[in-house]
């Protein structure tokens, strides 16, 4: 518990710029009807702050921890995807979809394949299959298969995050819990996007999408910080 408290306390100040940037986005609440480079910057700014959050741990940390460097790469592709989605009505929605698909591949790689936890994989498969079955009748053209592939990728990412937590074996850590909650929030955000775009207007959709998205990215970025702060705590103890 002491290690967990020390880790959370030490990481908190590094996230202050992220929280400020997120507040700026929601305060300005730029209209989606008038996309611009300024609105793209404001939307991407919290993700830029998460880049800085990981880079603040040092290049050596990122190089020696492949999971952290892959999460940083995922955040970079996420920012590009965010920028594309600013202009989604001008035909860049698929471009954004591709960027986030790459993000989920990188996050899955960061979370790893051990432990396998096939039960969690089966459950996640059932959830994702149900979501696609519901969306299917609303989809047409290339979105019929593009959405299927995207759901499979984000579902796989969610499986790896849940499997890594090992809650049943009492082997979980706060970083693994962070990754698990972050992955679930990412799925909620993207499901809301899909429902709002392809099925029916979702009340307060933009707030739900962006609040869960920013929280998800922050938690996944936090999950990259595993050993450095624990080692610092042991040195001080």
């Amino acid at each position: 518990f002491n290690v967990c408290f020390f880790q959370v306390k030490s990481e908190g100040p590094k996230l202050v710029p992220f929280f400020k940037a997120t507040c700026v986005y929601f305060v300005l609440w730029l209209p989606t009807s008038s996309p611009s480079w300024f609105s793209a910057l404001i939307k991407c700014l919290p993700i830029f702050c998460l880049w800085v959050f990981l880079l603040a741990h040092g290049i050596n940390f990122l190089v020696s921890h492949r999971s952290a460097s892959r999460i940083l790469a995922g955040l970079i592709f996420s920012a590009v995807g965010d920028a594309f989605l600013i202009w989604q009505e001008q035909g860049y929605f698929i471009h954004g979809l591709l960027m986030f698909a790459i993000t989920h591949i990188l996050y899955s790689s960061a979370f790893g394949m051990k432990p396998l936890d096939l039960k969690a994989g089966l459950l996640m498969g059932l959830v994702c299959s149900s979501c696609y079955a519901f969306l299917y009748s609303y989809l047409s053209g290339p979105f019929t298969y593009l959405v299927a592939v995207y759901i499979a990728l984000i579902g796989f990412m969610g499986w790896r995050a849940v499997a890594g937590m090992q809650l049943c074996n009492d082997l979980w850590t706060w970083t693994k819990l962070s990754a698990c909650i972050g992955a679930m929030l990412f799925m909620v955000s993207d499901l809301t996007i899909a429902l709002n775009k392809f099925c029916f207007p979702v009340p307060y959709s933009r707030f739900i999408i962006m609040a869960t998205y920013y929280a998800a990215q922050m938690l996944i970025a936090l999950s990259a910080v595993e050993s450095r702060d624990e080692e610092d705590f042991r040195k001080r103890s």
Side-chain angles (χ1 to χ4, degrees), residues 48-121:
F48 295 159
C49 292
L50 293 177
W51 297 4
V52 175
F53 166 74
L54 289 180
L55 290 169
H57 290 83
I59 299 299
N60 290 336
F61 172 77
L62 293 172
V63 171
S64 60
H65 293 76
R66 291 185 177 180
S67 61
S69 59
R70 288 168 184 170
I71 287 175
L72 176 60
L75 288 168
I76 293 171
F77 278 98
S78 293
V80 178
D82 282 331
F84 276 130
L85 291 181
I86 287 287
W87 285 276
Q88 60 178 293
E89 299 301 327
Q90 285 73 33
Y92 287 96
F93 181 81
I94 292 178
H95 298 72
L97 200 68
L98 176 60
M99 293 299 103
F100 281 107
I102 295 172
T103 293
H104 297 317
I105 292 171
L106 288 164
Y107 286 170
S108 299
S109 177
F111 298 150
M113 290 302 297
K114 293 180 181 180
L116 196 60
D117 197 348
L118 292 176
K119 290 183 179 178

Side-chain angles (χ1 to χ4, degrees), residues 163-182:
M165 190 170 62
Q166 301 185 72
L167 188 60
C168 295
N169 297 329
D170 200 27
L171 296 174
W172 66 278
T173 63
W174 75 272
T175 51
K176 291 177 180 177
L177 180 62
S178 179
C180 180
I181 297 174

